[in-house]
Amino acid sequence: QVQLVESGGGLVQAGGSLRLSCAASGSIFSINAMGWYRQAPGKQRDLVAVITSGGSTNYADSVKGRFTISRDNAKNTVSLQMNSLKPEDTAVYYCYARIVTTVVRTASYWGQGTQVTVSS
């Protein structure tokens, strides 16, 4: 059993900042990629940022230079620092992790989602 628990969403004015955090717990042997996706109303879920266990990162073009993803491998956590937020960043943000469990099964896991609303 694996759980991803997110925190840090909320309401912020355009130009402001928020930090999202996600903690993975349960029967974890190791974690490969961790990342964040977002889904706006009526739209598909899109990648925001991803980070590998080695620290390599990839960002959506729309957030490059504004968002920074980081992780703590010892604590099984991933964070997303979001600066210079825009109204178009408004969405539900989902934590994602590709996890190898203690029964040596690799699967993708998702958090419950946290709402980020940016007012203009």
Side-chain angles (χ1 to χ4, degrees):
Q1 189 98 6
V2 172
Q3 281 189 318
L4 299 182
V5 178
E6 301 141 341
S7 61
L11 172 65
V12 65
Q13 287 189 330
S17 298
L18 282 175
R19 184 177 181 86
L20 305 182
S21 296
C22 173
S25 62
S27 303
I28 298 171
F29 176 74
S30 65
I31 303 179
N32 298 332
M34 300 186 81
W36 294 89
Y37 284 69
R38 67 187 180 187
Q39 187 167 20
K43 295 188 176 182
Q44 66 182 19
R45 189 175 298 187
D46 291 325
L47 173 71
V48 176
V50 64
I51 184 168
T52 68
S53 57
S56 296
T57 59
N58 190 36
Y59 295 91
D61 287 343
S62 60
V63 307
K64 283 180 181 177
R66 300 188 297 122
F67 291 10
T68 302
I69 190 170
S70 60
R71 67 186 279 179
D72 185 328
N73 291 331
K75 296 181 179 179
N76 291 335
T77 59
V78 62
S79 296
L80 185 69
Q81 178 66 42
M82 304 185 293
N83 298 328
S84 302
L85 282 160
K86 304 176 181 180
E88 51 264 43
D89 294 318
T90 296
V92 178
Y93 283 69
Y94 295 91
C95 177
Y96 162 86
R98 186 73 175 166
I99 294 174
V100 181
T101 66
T102 53
V103 293
V104 198
R105 175 179 176 269
T106 302
S108 297
Y109 294 87
W110 295 90
Q112 78 281 4
T114 185
Q115 177 70 46
V116 171
T117 302
V118 184
S119 63
S120 57

